Amino acid sequence: AIRLPLECLMVETDAPYLAPVPHRGKGNVPAYVASTLHFLANLRAERLGEDPERVIGKIRENSLAFLRSKDNIIPQAPA
């Protein structure tokens, strides 16, 4: 997470049995992605001196760009 450029990062909740702290021991659910995002933002702030709010904003931007991309693997909903 600290070796990759910020422009390449997204977060997800694909691991059903590896919930982030402070939810360890519970099943993982999509709502916990916020904990992962904040952990990642704080890690990059501590190790790289990046502003956590900028990290959160950029990861959100990356995710939205991926979901809008015509080349992603997620089918588009009908209009």
Coordinates of all heavy atoms in Angstrom, one line a residue:
A1 N 0.8 -1.2 0.0 CA 0.0 0.0 0.0 C 0.9 1.3 0.0 O 0.4 2.3 -0.4 CB -0.9 0.0 1.2
I2 N 2.1 1.2 0.5 CA 2.9 2.4 0.5 C 3.9 2.4 -0.7 O 4.5 3.4 -1.0 CB 3.7 2.6 1.8 CG1 4.6 1.4 2.1 CG2 2.7 2.9 2.9 CD1 5.4 1.6 3.3
R3 N 4.0 1.2 -1.3 CA 4.9 1.1 -2.5 C 4.3 1.5 -3.8 O 4.9 1.8 -4.8 CB 5.5 -0.3 -2.6 CG 6.4 -0.6 -1.5 CD 7.0 -2.0 -1.6 NE 7.9 -2.3 -0.5 CZ 8.5 -3.4 -0.4 NH1 8.3 -4.4 -1.2 NH2 9.3 -3.6 0.7
L4 N 2.9 1.5 -3.8 CA 2.2 1.8 -5.1 C 1.9 3.3 -5.2 O 1.6 3.9 -4.1 CB 0.9 1.0 -5.1 CG 1.0 -0.5 -5.3 CD1 -0.3 -1.1 -5.2 CD2 1.7 -0.8 -6.6
P5 N 1.9 3.8 -6.4 CA 1.4 5.2 -6.5 C 0.0 5.4 -6.1 O -0.8 4.4 -6.3 CB 1.6 5.5 -8.0 CG 2.4 4.4 -8.6 CD 2.3 3.2 -7.6
L6 N -0.4 6.5 -5.5 CA -1.7 6.7 -5.0 C -2.7 6.6 -6.2 O -3.8 6.1 -5.9 CB -1.8 8.1 -4.4 CG -3.1 8.5 -3.8 CD1 -3.5 7.5 -2.7 CD2 -2.9 9.9 -3.2
E7 N -2.3 6.9 -7.4 CA -3.2 6.8 -8.5 C -3.6 5.4 -8.8 O -4.5 5.1 -9.6 CB -2.6 7.4 -9.8 CG -2.4 8.9 -9.7 CD -1.2 9.3 -8.7 OE1 -0.3 8.5 -8.5 OE2 -1.3 10.5 -8.2
C8 N -3.0 4.4 -8.3 CA -3.2 3.0 -8.5 C -4.0 2.3 -7.5 O -4.3 1.1 -7.5 CB -1.9 2.2 -8.8 SG -1.0 2.8 -10.2
L9 N -4.4 3.0 -6.4 CA -5.0 2.3 -5.3 C -6.6 2.4 -5.3 O -7.1 3.4 -5.6 CB -4.5 2.9 -4.0 CG -3.1 2.7 -3.6 CD1 -2.7 3.4 -2.4 CD2 -2.8 1.2 -3.5
M10 N -7.2 1.3 -4.8 CA -8.6 1.2 -4.5 C -8.7 0.3 -3.3 O -7.8 -0.4 -3.0 CB -9.4 0.6 -5.7 CG -9.5 1.5 -6.9 SD -10.7 1.0 -8.1 CE -10.2 -0.7 -8.5
V11 N -9.8 0.3 -2.6 CA -10.0 -0.6 -1.5 C -11.3 -1.4 -1.8 O -12.2 -1.0 -2.5 CB -10.1 0.1 -0.1 CG1 -8.8 0.7 0.2 CG2 -11.2 1.1 -0.1
E12 N -11.4 -2.6 -1.2 CA -12.5 -3.5 -1.4 C -12.7 -4.4 -0.2 O -11.9 -4.5 0.6 CB -12.4 -4.3 -2.8 CG -11.1 -5.0 -2.9 CD -11.1 -6.4 -2.3 OE1 -12.1 -7.0 -2.1 OE2 -10.0 -6.9 -2.0
T13 N -13.8 -5.2 -0.2 CA -14.1 -6.1 0.9 C -14.3 -7.5 0.4 O -15.3 -8.2 0.8 CB -15.3 -5.6 1.6 OG1 -16.4 -5.6 0.7 CG2 -15.2 -4.3 2.2
D14 N -13.4 -8.0 -0.4 CA -13.6 -9.3 -1.0 C -13.2 -10.5 0.0 O -13.5 -11.6 -0.3 CB -12.7 -9.4 -2.2 CG -13.1 -10.6 -3.1 OD1 -14.3 -11.0 -3.1 OD2 -12.2 -11.2 -3.8
A15 N -12.6 -10.2 1.1 CA -12.2 -11.3 2.0 C -13.3 -11.5 3.1 O -13.4 -10.7 4.0 CB -10.9 -10.9 2.7
P16 N -14.1 -12.5 2.9 CA -15.3 -12.7 3.9 C -14.9 -13.0 5.3 O -15.7 -12.7 6.2 CB -16.1 -13.8 3.2 CG -15.1 -14.6 2.4 CD -14.1 -13.6 1.9
Y17 N -13.7 -13.5 5.5 CA -13.3 -13.9 6.9 C -12.1 -13.1 7.4 O -11.6 -13.4 8.5 CB -12.9 -15.4 6.9 CG -14.1 -16.2 6.4 CD1 -14.0 -16.9 5.2 CD2 -15.2 -16.4 7.2 CE1 -15.1 -17.6 4.8 CE2 -16.3 -17.1 6.8 CZ -16.2 -17.8 5.6 OH -17.2 -18.5 5.1
L18 N -11.8 -12.0 6.8 CA -10.7 -11.2 7.3 C -11.1 -9.7 7.4 O -10.8 -8.8 6.7 CB -9.5 -11.2 6.3 CG -8.2 -10.5 6.7 CD1 -7.7 -11.1 8.1 CD2 -7.1 -10.7 5.7
A19 N -12.0 -9.5 8.4 CA -12.5 -8.2 8.7 C -11.4 -7.3 9.2 O -10.5 -7.8 10.0 CB -13.6 -8.3 9.7
P20 N -11.4 -6.0 8.9 CA -10.4 -5.1 9.4 C -10.5 -4.8 10.9 O -11.6 -5.0 11.5 CB -10.6 -3.8 8.6 CG -12.0 -3.9 8.2 CD -12.4 -5.3 8.1
V21 N -9.5 -4.4 11.6 CA -9.5 -3.9 12.9 C -10.4 -2.7 12.9 O -10.2 -1.9 11.9 CB -8.1 -3.6 13.4 CG1 -8.2 -2.9 14.8 CG2 -7.2 -4.8 13.5
P22 N -11.4 -2.4 13.7 CA -11.7 -3.0 14.9 C -12.8 -4.1 14.9 O -13.4 -4.5 15.9 CB -12.2 -1.9 15.7 CG -13.0 -1.1 14.7 CD -12.1 -1.2 13.4
H23 N -13.0 -4.7 13.7 CA -14.0 -5.7 13.5 C -13.5 -7.1 13.4 O -14.2 -8.0 13.0 CB -14.8 -5.4 12.2 CG -15.3 -4.0 12.2 ND1 -16.3 -3.5 13.0 CD2 -14.9 -2.9 11.5 CE1 -16.5 -2.2 12.7 NE2 -15.6 -1.8 11.8
R24 N -12.2 -7.3 13.8 CA -11.6 -8.7 13.7 C -12.5 -9.7 14.5 O -13.0 -9.4 15.5 CB -10.3 -8.7 14.3 CG -9.0 -8.5 13.5 CD -8.9 -9.4 12.3 NE -8.6 -8.6 11.2 CZ -7.3 -8.3 10.8 NH1 -6.3 -8.8 11.4 NH2 -7.1 -7.5 9.7
G25 N -12.6 -10.9 13.9 CA -13.4 -11.9 14.5 C -14.8 -12.0 14.1 O -15.5 -12.9 14.3
K26 N -15.2 -11.0 13.3 CA -16.6 -11.0 12.7 C -16.4 -11.3 11.2 O -15.3 -11.1 10.7 CB -17.2 -9.6 12.9 CG -17.4 -9.1 14.3 CD -17.9 -7.7 14.3 CE -17.9 -7.1 15.7 NZ -18.4 -5.7 15.7
G27 N -17.5 -11.6 10.6 CA -17.5 -11.7 9.2 C -17.3 -10.4 8.5 O -17.7 -9.3 9.1
N28 N -16.6 -10.3 7.4 CA -16.4 -9.0 6.7 C -17.6 -8.6 5.9 O -18.3 -9.5 5.3 CB -15.2 -9.1 5.8 CG -14.6 -7.8 5.5 OD1 -15.0 -6.8 6.0 ND2 -13.6 -7.8 4.6
V29 N -18.0 -7.4 5.9 CA -19.1 -6.8 5.2 C -18.7 -5.6 4.5 O -17.7 -4.9 4.9 CB -20.3 -6.6 6.1 CG1 -20.9 -7.9 6.7 CG2 -20.0 -5.6 7.2
P30 N -19.4 -5.2 3.4 CA -19.0 -4.0 2.7 C -18.9 -2.7 3.5 O -18.0 -1.8 3.2 CB -20.1 -3.9 1.6 CG -20.5 -5.3 1.3 CD -20.4 -5.9 2.7
A31 N -19.7 -2.6 4.5 CA -19.6 -1.4 5.4 C -18.3 -1.2 6.0 O -17.9 -0.1 6.4 CB -20.7 -1.5 6.5
Y32 N -17.5 -2.3 6.2 CA -16.2 -2.2 6.8 C -15.1 -1.6 5.9 O -14.0 -1.3 6.4 CB -15.7 -3.5 7.4 CG -16.6 -4.1 8.4 CD1 -16.5 -5.5 8.7 CD2 -17.5 -3.4 9.2 CE1 -17.3 -6.1 9.7 CE2 -18.3 -3.9 10.2 CZ -18.2 -5.3 10.4 OH -18.9 -5.8 11.4
V33 N -15.4 -1.4 4.7 CA -14.4 -0.8 3.8 C -13.9 0.5 4.2 O -12.8 0.9 4.0 CB -14.9 -0.8 2.3 CG1 -15.9 0.3 2.1 CG2 -13.8 -0.7 1.3
A34 N -14.8 1.3 5.0 CA -14.4 2.6 5.5 C -13.2 2.4 6.5 O -12.3 3.3 6.5 CB -15.6 3.3 6.1
S35 N -13.3 1.4 7.3 CA -12.2 1.1 8.2 C -10.9 0.9 7.5 O -9.8 1.4 7.9 CB -12.5 0.0 9.2 OG -13.6 0.2 10.0
T36 N -10.9 0.1 6.4 CA -9.8 -0.2 5.6 C -9.2 1.1 5.0 O -8.0 1.3 4.9 CB -10.1 -1.3 4.6 OG1 -10.6 -2.4 5.2 CG2 -8.9 -1.6 3.7
L37 N -10.1 1.9 4.4 CA -9.7 3.1 3.8 C -9.0 4.1 4.8 O -8.0 4.6 4.4 CB -11.0 3.8 3.2 CG -10.8 5.1 2.5 CD1 -9.8 5.0 1.3 CD2 -12.1 5.7 2.1
H38 N -9.6 4.2 6.0 CA -8.9 5.1 6.9 C -7.6 4.6 7.4 O -6.7 5.3 7.6 CB -9.9 5.4 8.1 CG -11.0 6.3 7.7 ND1 -10.9 7.7 7.7 CD2 -12.3 6.0 7.3 CE1 -12.0 8.2 7.3 NE2 -12.9 7.2 7.0
F39 N -7.5 3.2 7.6 CA -6.2 2.6 7.9 C -5.2 2.9 6.9 O -4.1 3.4 7.2 CB -6.4 1.1 8.1 CG -5.1 0.5 8.4 CD1 -4.5 0.4 9.7 CD2 -4.3 -0.1 7.3 CE1 -3.3 -0.2 9.9 CE2 -3.1 -0.7 7.6 CZ -2.6 -0.8 8.9
L40 N -5.5 2.7 5.6 CA -4.6 3.0 4.5 C -4.2 4.5 4.4 O -3.0 4.8 4.3 CB -5.3 2.6 3.2 CG -4.5 2.7 1.9 CD1 -3.2 2.0 2.0 CD2 -5.3 2.3 0.7
A41 N -5.2 5.4 4.6 CA -4.9 6.8 4.6 C -3.9 7.2 5.7 O -3.0 7.9 5.5 CB -6.2 7.6 4.7
N42 N -4.1 6.6 6.9 CA -3.3 6.9 8.1 C -1.9 6.3 7.9 O -0.9 6.9 8.3 CB -3.9 6.5 9.4 CG -5.1 7.3 9.7 OD1 -5.1 8.5 9.5 ND2 -6.1 6.7 10.4
L43 N -1.8 5.1 7.3 CA -0.5 4.5 7.0 C 0.3 5.3 6.1 O 1.5 5.6 6.3 CB -0.7 3.1 6.4 CG 0.5 2.3 6.0 CD1 1.3 2.0 7.3 CD2 0.1 1.1 5.2
R44 N -0.3 5.8 5.0 CA 0.4 6.6 4.0 C 0.8 8.0 4.6 O 1.8 8.5 4.3 CB -0.4 6.8 2.7 CG -0.5 5.5 1.9 CD -1.2 5.6 0.6 NE -0.5 6.4 -0.3 CZ 0.3 5.9 -1.3 NH1 0.5 4.6 -1.4 NH2 0.9 6.8 -2.1
A45 N 0.0 8.5 5.5 CA 0.3 9.7 6.2 C 1.5 9.5 7.1 O 2.5 10.3 7.0 CB -0.9 10.2 7.0
E46 N 1.5 8.5 7.8 CA 2.7 8.2 8.7 C 3.9 7.9 8.0 O 5.0 8.4 8.3 CB 2.3 7.0 9.6 CG 3.4 6.6 10.6 CD 2.9 5.3 11.3 OE1 1.8 5.3 11.9 OE2 3.7 4.4 11.4
R47 N 3.9 7.0 7.0 CA 5.1 6.6 6.3 C 5.5 7.5 5.1 O 6.7 7.6 4.9 CB 4.9 5.2 5.7 CG 4.5 4.1 6.7 CD 5.7 3.6 7.4 NE 5.4 2.6 8.4 CZ 5.4 1.3 8.1 NH1 5.6 0.8 6.9 NH2 5.1 0.5 9.1
L48 N 4.6 8.2 4.5 CA 4.9 9.0 3.3 C 4.6 10.5 3.5 O 4.9 11.2 2.6 CB 4.2 8.4 2.1 CG 4.4 7.0 1.7 CD1 3.5 6.6 0.6 CD2 5.8 6.7 1.4
G49 N 4.0 10.8 4.6 CA 3.7 12.2 4.8 C 2.6 12.8 4.0 O 2.4 14.0 3.8
E50 N 1.8 11.9 3.4 CA 0.6 12.3 2.6 C -0.5 12.7 3.5 O -0.7 12.2 4.6 CB 0.2 11.2 1.7 CG 1.2 10.8 0.6 CD 0.8 9.7 -0.3 OE1 -0.1 9.0 0.0 OE2 1.5 9.6 -1.3
D51 N -1.3 13.7 3.0 CA -2.5 14.2 3.7 C -3.6 13.1 3.7 O -4.0 12.7 2.6 CB -3.0 15.4 3.1 CG -4.3 15.9 3.7 OD1 -4.5 15.8 4.9 OD2 -5.2 16.4 2.9
P52 N -4.1 12.6 4.8 CA -5.1 11.5 4.8 C -6.3 11.8 4.0 O -6.9 11.0 3.3 CB -5.4 11.3 6.3 CG -4.2 11.8 7.0 CD -3.7 12.9 6.2
E53 N -6.8 13.1 4.1 CA -8.0 13.4 3.4 C -7.7 13.4 1.9 O -8.6 13.0 1.1 CB -8.5 14.8 3.8 CG -9.0 14.9 5.2 CD -10.2 13.9 5.5 OE1 -11.1 13.8 4.6 OE2 -10.2 13.2 6.5
R54 N -6.5 13.8 1.4 CA -6.2 13.7 0.0 C -6.1 12.2 -0.4 O -6.6 11.9 -1.5 CB -4.8 14.3 -0.2 CG -4.4 14.3 -1.7 CD -3.1 15.0 -1.9 NE -2.7 14.8 -3.3 CZ -2.0 13.7 -3.8 NH1 -1.7 12.7 -3.0 NH2 -1.7 13.6 -5.0
V55 N -5.6 11.4 0.4 CA -5.5 9.9 0.1 C -6.9 9.4 -0.1 O -7.2 8.7 -1.0 CB -4.7 9.2 1.2 CG1 -4.9 7.6 1.0 CG2 -3.3 9.6 1.2
I56 N -7.8 9.7 0.9 CA -9.2 9.2 0.8 C -9.9 9.7 -0.4 O -10.6 8.9 -1.1 CB -10.0 9.6 2.1 CG1 -9.4 8.8 3.3 CG2 -11.5 9.4 1.9 CD1 -9.9 9.3 4.7
G57 N -9.7 11.0 -0.7 CA -10.3 11.6 -1.9 C -9.8 10.9 -3.2 O -10.6 10.6 -4.1
K58 N -8.5 10.7 -3.3 CA -7.9 10.1 -4.5 C -8.4 8.6 -4.7 O -8.7 8.2 -5.8 CB -6.4 10.2 -4.4 CG -5.8 9.7 -5.7 CD -6.2 10.5 -6.9 CE -5.5 9.9 -8.2 NZ -6.2 10.5 -9.4
I59 N -8.5 7.9 -3.6 CA -8.9 6.5 -3.7 C -10.4 6.5 -4.1 O -10.8 5.7 -4.9 CB -8.7 5.7 -2.4 CG1 -7.2 5.5 -2.2 CG2 -9.4 4.4 -2.4 CD1 -6.8 4.9 -0.9
R60 N -11.2 7.4 -3.6 CA -12.6 7.5 -4.0 C -12.6 7.8 -5.5 O -13.4 7.2 -6.3 CB -13.3 8.6 -3.2 CG -14.8 8.7 -3.6 CD -15.4 9.8 -2.7 NE -16.8 9.9 -3.0 CZ -17.4 10.6 -4.0 NH1 -16.6 11.3 -4.8 NH2 -18.7 10.6 -4.1
E61 N -11.8 8.8 -5.9 CA -11.8 9.2 -7.4 C -11.4 8.0 -8.2 O -12.0 7.7 -9.3 CB -10.8 10.3 -7.5 CG -10.6 10.9 -8.9 CD -9.6 12.0 -8.9 OE1 -9.7 12.9 -8.1 OE2 -8.6 11.9 -9.7
N62 N -10.4 7.2 -7.8 CA -9.9 6.1 -8.5 C -11.0 5.0 -8.7 O -11.2 4.5 -9.8 CB -8.7 5.4 -7.8 CG -7.5 6.2 -7.8 OD1 -7.3 7.2 -8.4 ND2 -6.6 5.8 -6.9
S63 N -11.7 4.8 -7.6 CA -12.8 3.8 -7.6 C -13.9 4.2 -8.6 O -14.5 3.4 -9.3 CB -13.4 3.6 -6.2 OG -12.3 3.2 -5.4
L64 N -14.3 5.5 -8.5 CA -15.4 6.0 -9.4 C -14.9 5.9 -10.8 O -15.7 5.6 -11.7 CB -15.8 7.4 -9.0 CG -16.5 7.5 -7.7 CD1 -16.7 9.0 -7.3 CD2 -17.8 6.8 -7.7
A65 N -13.7 6.3 -11.1 CA -13.2 6.2 -12.5 C -13.2 4.7 -13.0 O -13.6 4.5 -14.2 CB -11.8 6.8 -12.6
F66 N -12.9 3.8 -12.1 CA -12.9 2.4 -12.5 C -14.3 2.0 -12.8 O -14.6 1.3 -13.8 CB -12.3 1.5 -11.4 CG -12.5 0.0 -11.7 CD1 -11.7 -0.6 -12.5 CD2 -13.5 -0.7 -11.1 CE1 -11.8 -2.0 -12.8 CE2 -13.7 -2.0 -11.3 CZ -12.8 -2.7 -12.2
L67 N -15.3 2.3 -12.0 CA -16.6 1.9 -12.2 C -17.3 2.5 -13.4 O -18.2 2.0 -14.0 CB -17.5 2.2 -10.9 CG -17.1 1.4 -9.7 CD1 -17.8 1.9 -8.5 CD2 -17.4 -0.1 -9.9
R68 N -16.8 3.7 -13.8 CA -17.3 4.4 -15.0 C -16.6 3.9 -16.3 O -17.1 4.1 -17.4 CB -17.1 5.9 -14.9 CG -18.0 6.5 -13.9 CD -17.8 8.0 -13.9 NE -18.5 8.6 -12.8 CZ -18.0 9.4 -11.8 NH1 -16.7 9.7 -11.9 NH2 -18.8 9.9 -10.9
S69 N -15.5 3.2 -16.1 CA -14.7 2.8 -17.3 C -15.5 1.7 -18.1 O -16.1 0.8 -17.6 CB -13.4 2.2 -16.8 OG -12.7 1.5 -17.9
K70 N -15.4 1.9 -19.4 CA -16.0 0.9 -20.3 C -15.2 -0.4 -20.3 O -15.7 -1.4 -20.8 CB -16.1 1.5 -21.7 CG -17.0 2.6 -21.8 CD -17.1 3.2 -23.2 CE -18.0 4.4 -23.2 NZ -18.2 5.0 -24.5
D71 N -14.0 -0.4 -19.8 CA -13.2 -1.6 -19.8 C -13.2 -2.4 -18.5 O -12.6 -3.4 -18.4 CB -11.7 -1.2 -20.1 CG -11.6 -0.6 -21.5 OD1 -12.3 -1.0 -22.4 OD2 -10.7 0.3 -21.6
N72 N -14.0 -2.0 -17.5 CA -14.1 -2.7 -16.3 C -14.9 -4.0 -16.4 O -15.6 -4.1 -17.4 CB -14.6 -1.8 -15.1 CG -16.0 -1.5 -15.2 OD1 -16.8 -2.4 -15.5 ND2 -16.4 -0.3 -15.0
I73 N -14.8 -4.8 -15.5 CA -15.5 -6.1 -15.5 C -16.9 -6.1 -14.9 O -17.5 -7.1 -14.9 CB -14.6 -7.2 -14.9 CG1 -14.4 -6.9 -13.4 CG2 -13.3 -7.4 -15.6 CD1 -13.7 -8.0 -12.7
I74 N -17.3 -5.0 -14.4 CA -18.6 -4.9 -13.8 C -19.6 -4.4 -14.8 O -19.4 -3.4 -15.4 CB -18.6 -3.9 -12.6 CG1 -17.6 -4.4 -11.6 CG2 -20.0 -3.7 -12.0 CD1 -17.3 -3.4 -10.4
P75 N -20.7 -5.2 -15.1 CA -21.6 -4.8 -16.1 C -22.4 -3.5 -15.7 O -22.6 -3.2 -14.5 CB -22.6 -5.9 -16.1 CG -22.3 -6.8 -15.0 CD -21.0 -6.4 -14.4
Q76 N -22.7 -2.7 -16.7 CA -23.3 -1.4 -16.4 C -24.8 -1.7 -16.3 O -25.4 -2.5 -17.0 CB -23.1 -0.4 -17.6 CG -21.7 -0.1 -17.8 CD -21.1 0.7 -16.6 OE1 -21.8 1.6 -16.1 NE2 -19.9 0.4 -16.2
A77 N -25.5 -0.9 -15.4 CA -26.9 -1.0 -15.2 C -27.6 -0.4 -16.4 O -27.1 0.6 -16.9 CB -27.3 -0.4 -13.9
P78 N -28.8 -0.9 -16.8 CA -29.5 -0.3 -17.9 C -29.9 1.1 -17.5 O -30.2 1.4 -16.4 CB -30.7 -1.2 -18.1 CG -30.6 -2.3 -17.1 CD -29.4 -2.1 -16.3
A79 N -30.0 2.0 -18.5 CA -30.4 3.4 -18.2 C -31.9 3.6 -18.1 O -32.6 2.8 -18.5 CB -29.9 4.3 -19.3

